[in-house]
Amino acid sequence: MLQEILNDVGIAVFAASGALLGVRKDFDLWGILTVGALTGVGGGILRDVLLGITPPTSVQHWLPITITLAASLIVFTFHPTFAQLRRSVLILDAVGMGLFATSGAGIAIDHDTSAFAASIVGLLTAVGGGILRDVLANEIPLLLQPADLYAVPALLGATIVGICGTYTTVPVWFWLIIGTVVATALRLVSLVFGWRLPTAPPGRRGHHARA
Amino acid sequence: MLQEILNDVGIAVFAASGALLGVRKDFDLWGILTVGALTGVGGGILRDVLLGITPPTSVQHWLPITITLAASLIVFTFHPTFAQLRRSVLILDAVGMGLFATSGAGIAIDHDTSAFAASIVGLLTAVGGGILRDVLANEIPLLLQPADLYAVPALLGATIVGICGTYTTVPVWFWLIIGTVVATALRLVSLVFGWRLPTAPPGRRGHHARA
Amino acid sequence: MLQEILNDVGIAVFAASGALLGVRKDFDLWGILTVGALTGVGGGILRDVLLGITPPTSVQHWLPITITLAASLIVFTFHPTFAQLRRSVLILDAVGMGLFATSGAGIAIDHDTSAFAASIVGLLTAVGGGILRDVLANEIPLLLQPADLYAVPALLGATIVGICGTYTTVPVWFWLIIGTVVATALRLVSLVFGWRLPTAPPGRRGHHARA
């Protein structure tokens, strides 16, 4: 029950981040609702397509998309307020990321994937919505740009669930909690301290080969 | 039979819109054929992936892609003429959108989805090709930009099929006709009167939270 | 055995092309690894989603993604060297393209698709990773731009496997070899001679219809 509520909070926060980008790009109401909805449920749909769950949960049931529309409408109406809420939004987003990563890995395990696959699916569940948001808004995904750690905590949380949930006899729900806490905490700590990954060493830029 | 012909017309019109964008972006022949084909069949492939129909109908059978290639070749050869045909193209496109929305919803119902899922799948069938076209051409999808109503009529048509086709005893084909007519008519009326959805109220732009 | 090794070489070369683009776009280490990994395995994942193979092979097994990460790390560290290796990279890439096109078509046949579907799936396997790479890097896919032949050889190789593997009694592995050699050779010859496809005839640009 708690996990479902937190998952819905994650969907709402992701949707709000998509709707905010839509507002900044001067989309109309429909565009804002669309990019909000796709950001909120995109990661879960990608997860389900990779696992062969059809139709995807977020398409089959009305609640997830309804949550994204409500969150997007709130952003549409009150978006100037969100500038002051930046800190709260970042915290909620970190929680949402952690929940998506671990629940994605847990659902993969339920579908008898390998531990490796569970980790990858969990990662893609956490970052898929944000990638879709940025591709639709015609921007290079934030995920690929030099920035605070985001995908690394997601991968860590998903891997904890994937490996420990597969190879230990401890119930999966225990690893869901551990993974979520670790991922969320690492994300928040990296924000506070401004941790970053290195960029490529300078030098003559390699020629871009066609592929 | 009539529905199949109209569906093929819809594929051709969507393909032509993709090929036209390719011409304007100075793609070569292959690029124009590719973006035309993906625009024509992209919505149907998305529909089938979401419903677990593999391989997707447009991949399995040769006719849909062949139609898109023929339409794209015609655009490639005669594209200056299409400027004069703008009105006809818009009308055909409205019909194609209506048909894709309702047939997508109908196919979803055949696969035992919820009424909600049928509506969403129908919407995505109608707009998927256009989104793919714009993402490939590195433009913000027209769907997200302030513009005449497009997705709203598609959603309305798909919802009529999804809800009435699931919860009434009237045969689905009846709702396919009603939904297509309503979606197409609403699209055309909105074009004539220039109806639009509101954009976000002005104000200090909300800060874009990472997600 | 040889085919698996060559396939892994193809994955590595594709991943390197993605990582090189990441370096040029100033992505951080994570971004470079991500775009490298998605370029290397994107075509195979698309193939598996279209064929209903879930989870996709590259998600389920650890080797493909590990190869992409190793290749991307090498590019990250030694990228200035790659400018001098341009010729070798182009040759390896042509081999990878040929292998992906034919193996994609062969796997489709194994899943009882039509000969037409096998050709399309082979083509998409060969070009899917590159399209994903360019979309994520916010560039128009190279595939759509006037350039040396790339997708045409891929389609030819995939079609040889798709048609001959379906309608003849000669074992499929024979057509895999023929198709790969033909696709790779045509690609290399077109590079040497600078063969290109025509662009649209000039004239007043057609108006871009909404779809």
Side-chain angles (χ1 to χ4, degrees):
Chain A
M1 184 61 194
L2 181 64
Q3 200 200 343
E4 273 171 34
I5 291 176
L6 286 174
N7 195 46
D8 289 343
V9 171
I11 288 175
V13 175
F14 280 178
S17 83
L20 271 174
L21 185 54
V23 168
R24 290 177 46 190
K25 288 258 174 176
D26 286 323
F27 292 171
D28 67 4
L29 177 56
W30 173 268
I32 291 167
L33 292 175
T34 303
V35 76
L38 290 174
T39 307
V41 301
I45 289 178
L46 176 60
R47 175 197 68 210
D48 290 352
V49 166
L50 292 177
L51 295 174
I53 303 170
T54 55
T57 308
S58 304
V59 172
Q60 178 74 349
H61 303 291
W62 59 270
L63 187 59
I65 288 180
T66 306
I67 289 173
T68 65
L69 298 182
S72 301
L73 272 177
I74 290 171
V75 168
F76 179 80
T77 314
F78 301 110
H79 65 89
T81 314
F82 277 75
Q84 284 108 51
L85 296 176
R86 177 168 157 72
R87 184 170 302 221
S88 313
V89 170
L90 278 175
I91 293 173
L92 280 173
D93 174 68
V95 177
M97 176 274 290
L99 284 164
F100 273 37
T102 55
S103 67
I107 293 172
I109 289 178
D110 287 344
H111 282 74
D112 294 321
T113 68
S114 64
F116 180 82
S119 310
I120 297 294
V121 168
L123 168 63
L124 292 176
T125 307
V127 304
I131 290 179
L132 188 58
R133 174 199 64 207
D134 295 337
V135 166
L136 288 178
N138 203 16
E139 302 205 331
I140 293 181
L142 274 177
L143 188 73
L144 299 177
Q145 298 175 46
D148 323 295
L149 296 190
Y150 195 86
V152 171
L155 180 58
L156 184 62
T159 303
I160 289 173
V161 174
I163 291 183
C164 301
T166 304
Y167 295 116
T168 72
T169 54
V170 180
V172 171
W173 64 259
F174 177 78
W175 302 115
L176 288 173
I177 296 173
I178 300 291
T180 305
V181 169
V182 169
T184 302
L186 178 56
R187 166 71 178 148
L188 291 177
V189 170
S190 83
L191 276 178
V192 171
F193 292 101
W195 288 347
R196 280 156 191 266
L197 290 168
T199 51
R204 195 151 60 78
R205 290 303 160 103
H207 193 99
H208 172 222
R210 174 79 184 274
Chain B
M1 183 63 194
L2 179 65
Q3 200 199 344
E4 274 171 33
I5 291 176
L6 286 174
N7 196 46
D8 290 342
V9 171
I11 288 176
V13 175
F14 280 177
S17 83
L20 271 174
L21 185 55
V23 169
R24 289 178 46 188
K25 287 256 174 179
D26 285 323
F27 292 171
D28 67 3
L29 177 57
W30 174 267
I32 291 167
L33 292 175
T34 304
V35 75
L38 290 173
T39 308
V41 302
I45 289 178
L46 177 59
R47 173 198 68 209
D48 290 353
V49 165
L50 293 176
L51 294 176
I53 303 172
T54 56
T57 308
S58 303
V59 172
Q60 177 75 352
H61 302 293
W62 58 271
L63 187 59
I65 289 180
T66 305
I67 289 173
T68 64
L69 298 182
S72 301
L73 272 176
I74 290 172
V75 167
F76 178 81
T77 314
F78 302 110
H79 64 88
T81 314
F82 278 75
Q84 285 108 51
L85 297 176
R86 178 168 157 72
R87 185 172 300 220
S88 314
V89 170
L90 278 175
I91 293 174
L92 280 173
D93 175 68
V95 176
M97 175 275 288
L99 284 164
F100 274 37
T102 55
S103 66
I107 293 172
I109 290 178
D110 285 344
H111 282 74
D112 294 322
T113 68
S114 64
F116 180 81
S119 310
I120 298 293
V121 168
L123 168 64
L124 292 176
T125 307
V127 303
I131 290 179
L132 187 58
R133 176 197 63 207
D134 296 337
V135 166
L136 288 178
N138 204 14
E139 303 205 331
I140 293 181
L142 276 176
L143 189 72
L144 299 176
Q145 298 175 45
D148 324 294
L149 295 191
Y150 194 86
V152 170
L155 181 58
L156 184 62
T159 304
I160 288 173
V161 174
I163 292 183
C164 300
T166 303
Y167 295 115
T168 71
T169 54
V170 181
V172 172
W173 63 259
F174 177 79
W175 302 114
L176 288 173
I177 294 172
I178 299 291
T180 305
V181 169
V182 168
T184 302
L186 177 56
R187 166 71 179 148
L188 292 176
V189 169
S190 83
L191 276 177
V192 171
F193 293 100
W195 288 346
R196 280 155 191 268
L197 290 168
T199 51
R204 194 153 59 79
R205 290 302 159 106
H207 193 97
H208 172 221
R210 174 77 186 274
Chain C
M1 184 62 195
L2 180 65
Q3 201 201 343
E4 273 171 32
I5 292 176
L6 286 174
N7 195 46
D8 291 342
V9 171
I11 289 175
V13 175
F14 280 177
S17 83
L20 272 174
L21 185 55
V23 168
R24 289 177 46 190
K25 287 257 176 177
D26 286 323
F27 293 171
D28 67 3
L29 177 56
W30 174 268
I32 290 166
L33 292 176
T34 304
V35 75
L38 290 174
T39 308
V41 302
I45 290 178
L46 176 60
R47 174 197 67 210
D48 291 352
V49 166
L50 292 177
L51 294 175
I53 303 171
T54 56
T57 309
S58 303
V59 171
Q60 177 75 348
H61 303 293
W62 58 271
L63 187 59
I65 288 180
T66 307
I67 290 173
T68 65
L69 299 181
S72 301
L73 272 176
I74 290 172
V75 167
F76 179 79
T77 315
F78 301 110
H79 65 88
T81 314
F82 278 75
Q84 284 106 52
L85 296 177
R86 177 167 156 71
R87 185 169 302 219
S88 313
V89 170
L90 279 174
I91 293 174
L92 280 173
D93 174 69
V95 177
M97 175 274 289
L99 284 163
F100 274 36
T102 56
S103 67
I107 293 172
I109 289 178
D110 286 345
H111 283 73
D112 293 322
T113 68
S114 64
F116 180 82
S119 310
I120 298 293
V121 168
L123 168 64
L124 293 175
T125 307
V127 303
I131 290 179
L132 187 57
R133 175 198 64 207
D134 296 336
V135 166
L136 288 177
N138 203 16
E139 303 206 330
I140 293 181
L142 275 177
L143 190 73
L144 299 178
Q145 298 176 45
D148 323 294
L149 296 190
Y150 194 86
V152 170
L155 180 59
L156 184 61
T159 303
I160 288 174
V161 174
I163 292 183
C164 300
T166 303
Y167 295 115
T168 71
T169 55
V170 181
V172 171
W173 63 259
F174 176 78
W175 301 116
L176 288 173
I177 296 173
I178 299 290
T180 306
V181 170
V182 168
T184 303
L186 177 57
R187 166 71 178 148
L188 292 177
V189 169
S190 84
L191 277 177
V192 171
F193 292 100
W195 288 346
R196 280 157 190 265
L197 291 169
T199 51
R204 194 150 60 79
R205 290 303 159 102
H207 194 98
H208 173 221
R210 174 77 185 273

